């Protein structure tokens, strides 16, 4: 399934299932019409994820009745699939070898790829819609950079998860972009949190594609462009730390919960490592795409 959070201008946000390439089935509306009781709130994606198999079965029962779509994509506003994460968004740094190497000229303290994944986080207020604007926050940054990423959505609670069991804890996947204000990143001791945590600096979506729909998440083309010019182009097969290792290391002594989001790293081609460096400006349009998972389109605004 491809699950969306959307607004149709009435009664706030709703959960939907993408039907074909353009239709949206309103889960709450369909359940009510068909007399099917939902074990989750029809406006809360995390609640749906947390119900596990009963939630999936309820949606399957709705889809088995083949309801007609209630909306088209052009009729609604898509939100981030998880509009307000309950915890910080987990991120993995330096997880494509070429990206680690391209950034070497800007680092003095790390010269060899770490033996363990490098983790950092972005705040929940970073979450942005798949077509939402990215702002410069009244000129706070003029070194706005892009980082296309595959995002995982955790489906089952777990701690100290073994690599062999890790994929059982994945609910699905999204496209994401770890947008970064580079000068803010540098001025705060080279740490990554502040420069990557400005409001709206993690567009994601456009939907969650459930794990059963993605045969191999480590063989997907990933790319981003600015104003139509390709800036990053790679494949998730080049992830240095693979998804099971990421989950195992992250969950060591740390409980992962349904709805947690994990960004898996960005490939080479980021702006600050280019010669000369390149950054986004007001009026630019950033597009981020992963094969089979969809495309984000975010304009930069003042």
């Amino acid at each position: 399934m491809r699950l969306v959070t959307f607004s149709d201008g009435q009664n706030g946000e709703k959960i939907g299932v993408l039907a074909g390439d353009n239709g949206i089935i309103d889960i709450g509306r369909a359940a009510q019409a068909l007399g099917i009781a939902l074990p989750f709130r029809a406006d809360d994606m995390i609640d749906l994820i947390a119900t596990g198999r009963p939630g999936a079965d309820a949606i399957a029962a709705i889809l088995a009745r083949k309801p007609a779509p209630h909306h088209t994509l052009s009729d609604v506003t898509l939100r981030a699939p998880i509009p307000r994460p309950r915890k910080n968004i987990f991120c993995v740094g330096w997880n494509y070898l070429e990206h680690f190497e391209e950034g070497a000229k800007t680092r003095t303290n790390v010269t060899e790829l770490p033996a363990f994944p490098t983790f950092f986080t972005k705040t929940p207020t970073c979450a942005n819609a798949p077509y939402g604007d990215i702002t410069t926050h009244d000129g706070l940054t003029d070194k706005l950079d892009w980082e296309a990423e595959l995002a995982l959505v955790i489906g089952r609670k777990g701690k100290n998860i073994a690599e062999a069991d890790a994929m059982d804890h994945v609910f699905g996947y999204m496209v994401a972009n770890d947008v970064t204000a580079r000068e803010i990143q540098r001025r705060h001791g080279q740490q990554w949190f502040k420069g990557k945590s400005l409001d709206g600096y993690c567009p994601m979506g456009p939907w969650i594609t459930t794990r059963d729909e993605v045969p191999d998440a480590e063989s997907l083309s990933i790319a981003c462009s600015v104003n139509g010019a390709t800036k990053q182009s790679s494949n998730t097969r080049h992830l240095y730390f693979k998804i099971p290792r990421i989950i195992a290391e992250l969950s060591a002594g740390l409980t992962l919960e349904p709805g947690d989001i994990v960004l898996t790293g960005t490939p080479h081609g980021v702006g600050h490592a280019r010669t000369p460096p390149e950054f986004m400006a007001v009026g630019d349009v950033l597009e981020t795409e992963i094969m089979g998972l969809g495309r984000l389109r975010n304009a930069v605004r003042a």
Side-chain angles (χ1 to χ4, degrees):
M1 292 183 292
R2 292 174 291 174
L3 297 167
V4 298
T5 296
F6 70 96
S7 172
D8 61 4
Q10 301 177 16
N11 303 319
E13 295 167 347
K14 305 176 182 182
I15 299 172
V17 175
L18 196 64
D21 293 328
N22 192 46
I24 294 177
I25 297 170
D26 181 329
I27 290 299
R29 185 172 167 185
Q32 184 175 27
L34 296 170
I36 296 173
L38 295 177
F40 55 86
R41 288 178 49 187
D43 62 352
D44 189 334
M45 186 71 76
I46 296 178
D47 196 37
L48 162 59
I49 294 168
T51 60
R53 176 51 59 186
D57 288 346
I59 294 178
I62 291 171
L63 298 180
R65 304 280 288 274
K66 301 186 184 304
H70 301 100
H71 305 282
T72 64
L73 286 174
S74 61
D75 294 335
V76 303
T77 300
L78 289 188
R79 308 299 187 188
I82 299 176
R84 174 68 186 220
R86 292 179 184 168
K87 293 169 15 186
N88 277 16
I89 299 164
F90 298 107
C91 306
V92 184
W94 299 328
N95 205 24
Y96 287 76
L97 182 58
E98 289 181 331
H99 174 56
F100 178 82
E101 292 174 341
E102 74 176 349
K105 64 185 179 182
T106 65
R107 294 191 306 269
T108 58
N109 57 335
V110 181
T111 58
E112 294 184 2
L113 197 67
F116 295 87
T118 299
F119 294 118
F120 63 96
T121 66
K122 296 168 73 79
T123 60
T125 53
C126 282
N128 198 349
Y131 312 125
D133 290 344
I134 299 166
T135 76
T136 60
H137 295 284
D138 295 324
L140 183 61
T141 177
D142 60 6
K143 293 185 177 179
L144 195 58
D145 208 345
W146 52 82
E147 294 193 10
E149 308 216 9
L150 170 69
L152 316 176
V153 179
I154 298 298
R156 284 178 50 198
K157 182 177 181 179
K159 182 170 73 171
N160 301 323
I161 300 167
E163 286 191 49
D165 301 324
M167 297 307 295
D168 292 336
H169 291 262
V170 176
F171 177 80
Y173 305 96
M174 299 186 292
V175 185
N177 201 298
D178 175 21
V179 176
T180 305
R182 293 297 182 193
E183 75 273 54
I184 297 175
Q185 176 183 342
R186 304 288 181 240
R187 75 169 64 132
H188 290 278
Q190 296 282 2
Q191 55 81 28
W192 298 344
F193 175 76
K194 175 63 178 175
K196 292 173 173 285
S197 284
L198 302 188
D199 291 353
Y201 278 24
C202 192
M204 63 179 74
W207 35 76
I208 298 174
T209 302
T210 54
R211 181 166 58 92
D212 59 296
E213 297 281 343
V214 185
D216 185 1
E218 293 177 353
S219 64
L220 305 176
S221 60
I222 177 171
C224 81
S225 64
V226 177
N227 300 331
T230 298
K231 301 299 183 183
Q232 292 180 285
S233 181
S234 188
N235 192 289
T236 57
R237 74 170 65 96
H238 300 303
L239 285 168
Y240 188 80
F241 295 106
K242 305 302 184 184
I243 293 171
R245 175 78 185 279
I246 292 170
I247 293 173
E249 293 283 358
L250 183 58
S251 70
L254 185 159
T255 301
L256 296 179
E257 299 176 301
D260 283 352
I261 299 168
V262 184
L263 272 57
T264 58
T266 195
H268 69 285
V270 296
H272 80 96
R274 291 171 173 263
T275 304
E278 298 178 15
F279 300 106
M280 292 183 286
V282 171
D284 286 347
V285 175
L286 173 66
E287 294 184 282
T288 314
E289 184 171 15
I290 298 179
M291 180 180 69
L293 302 186
R295 176 185 291 181
L296 314 178
R297 190 177 191 275
N298 305 98
V300 180
R301 304 296 185 196

